[in-house]
Amino acid sequence: MSYRRTIKIVCGFAGGSAVLVVAAAAAEYQGCFGHTRAARWSLFNVLQAAQPAGNRTVESTGNAWDFNWDKRDLSALLTNGKKEVVSEDPSSEQDNGKPKATRNILLIRHSQYNLSGNGDHERILTPLGREQAEFTGQRLAALGLKYDIMVHSTMARATETANIISKYLPGVELVSCDLLREGAPIEPVPPVTHWKPDAVQYHEDGARIEAAFRRYIHRADPKQKEDSYEIIVCHANVIRYFVCRALQFPPEGWLRIGLNNGSITWLTVRPSGRVALRTLGDSGFMPPDKLTRT
């Protein structure tokens, strides 16, 4: 069979991308198919691999979604397989204790800051960073959402970012929180060579950032009647870890995610305990020449 005819056949089976595969196989056998048994078997394997999966499916990992990941499901009242009867009408008690509102949590990464500053007090926003915060504030205002609160890390770059955003959201309460400070949440997999915190830092930061996750990322309280929109201004490592934990992805994969300065990550937590990621690191509202990731 000629080389050109083989190309046509493979394209018919697997699409134009197969040309590259066949070309590689042809090069391995000096541009000639069919001259040896090994070459014929190689072509067969290439054709088989290049064909669509058809009814072949990817196997499930078997990891089920934990609906009580935030420990706020009423079924947590189960004790040794028996329900604690807390009223004469347990079904009514359950209905009253179920969340009914959805929480929307908008995680904002701080803007670009002075990396060469000595200590946190000198690591303030750069002129570009202040511009980025203005763009983020404008974007949040343009969304037209009824924000309930804005919580920010106590580190200088996050505090300054939150203060600039706050100008565009008059009336939204501004609160600071030490738990949201930057840190090393958990040793990343795969490891990286340019960043090597010691075990003590992972131990201390990890516990703090996990505590922040438990405080801020959970389903609504049963007493909450309307959907809420909350803003958290913090840091890349914290946001990436929050996303992995909320989606029940392996938390050690947090460093595989990249976030631009001033970007918006939007998590939605349903009353059932379902979690959705509406946006991850959205910064499309900024001009391209204003984008940074430092």
Side-chain angles (χ1 to χ4, degrees):
M1 183 184 296
S2 70
Y3 176 79
R4 180 173 298 177
R5 178 167 173 74
T6 303
I7 291 291
K8 290 181 180 179
I9 292 175
V10 174
C11 287
F13 280 132
S17 61
V19 173
L20 296 178
V21 180
V22 174
E28 182 180 355
Y29 291 97
Q30 299 178 348
C32 181
F33 292 109
H35 284 189
T36 66
R37 179 177 296 177
R40 287 194 296 272
W41 275 109
S42 176
L43 174 58
F44 174 77
N45 292 336
V46 168
L47 287 168
Q48 187 179 45
Q51 291 187 48
N55 58 3
R56 289 180 290 171
T57 59
V58 177
E59 293 184 6
S60 170
T61 61
N63 296 326
W65 177 262
D66 177 11
F67 279 94
N68 196 29
W69 58 274
D70 59 354
K71 308 306 178 189
R72 294 173 183 245
D73 193 333
L74 194 61
S75 62
L77 292 174
L78 292 174
T79 303
N80 296 326
K82 296 181 179 180
K83 286 187 178 180
E84 294 181 2
V85 179
V86 293
S87 74
E88 295 182 359
D89 185 359
S91 61
S92 175
E93 186 73 23
Q94 285 188 10
D95 288 341
N96 292 335
K98 287 182 178 179
K100 299 174 179 62
T102 294
R103 294 185 68 223
N104 293 273
I105 305 162
L106 289 85
L107 302 163
I108 313 299
R109 190 190 174 194
H110 61 78
S111 302
Q112 186 192 67
Y113 69 104
N114 176 24
L115 289 168
S116 60
N118 294 318
D120 181 60
H121 68 285
E122 291 187 6
R123 292 173 183 167
I124 59 176
L125 300 186
T126 64
L128 175 56
R130 290 191 287 274
E131 281 190 77
Q132 292 170 339
E134 299 277 354
F135 283 119
T136 304
Q138 292 168 15
R139 174 58 175 169
L140 290 171
L143 290 174
L145 303 173
K146 184 182 177 183
Y147 301 108
D148 298 88
I149 193 172
M150 178 158 53
V151 186
H152 63 86
S153 158
T154 54
M155 298 187 84
R157 55 190 182 270
T159 300
E160 190 176 358
T161 300
N163 286 333
I164 293 173
I165 291 174
S166 184
K167 297 187 308 181
Y168 296 91
L169 305 174
V172 177
E173 183 182 7
L174 199 59
V175 179
S176 63
C177 179
D178 273 331
L179 293 178
L180 294 167
R181 295 173 71 87
E182 183 65 297
I186 186 174
E187 191 167 358
V189 177
V192 293
T193 57
H194 62 278
W195 187 66
K196 287 284 186 180
D198 55 34
V200 173
Q201 185 176 354
Y202 282 123
H203 180 71
E204 295 177 351
D205 290 352
R208 172 178 55 78
I209 296 172
E210 173 64 19
F213 173 81
R214 297 185 186 193
R215 173 177 290 188
Y216 295 110
I217 313 298
H218 54 78
R219 76 192 77 188
D221 187 273
K223 296 179 181 179
Q224 182 176 322
K225 302 302 181 183
E226 298 181 356
D227 294 352
S228 58
Y229 296 86
E230 303 157 50
I231 300 170
I232 298 177
V233 182
C234 54
H235 308 270
N237 294 358
V238 177
I239 296 172
R240 295 184 283 193
Y241 178 78
F242 279 10
V243 168
C244 288
R245 285 282 284 110
L247 298 178
Q248 298 187 27
F249 294 163
E252 61 271 18
W254 63 272
L255 198 51
R256 305 170 203 170
I257 301 171
L259 300 172
N260 287 338
N261 294 112
S263 61
I264 301 173
T265 295
W266 186 338
L267 284 171
T268 297
V269 185
R270 303 292 182 187
S272 65
R274 292 182 182 273
V275 179
L277 181 63
R278 294 191 60 173
T279 64
L280 176 64
D282 176 26
S283 54
F285 49 86
M286 294 189 194
D289 61 339
K290 303 297 182 182
L291 297 176
T292 60
R293 190 181 295 181
T294 57

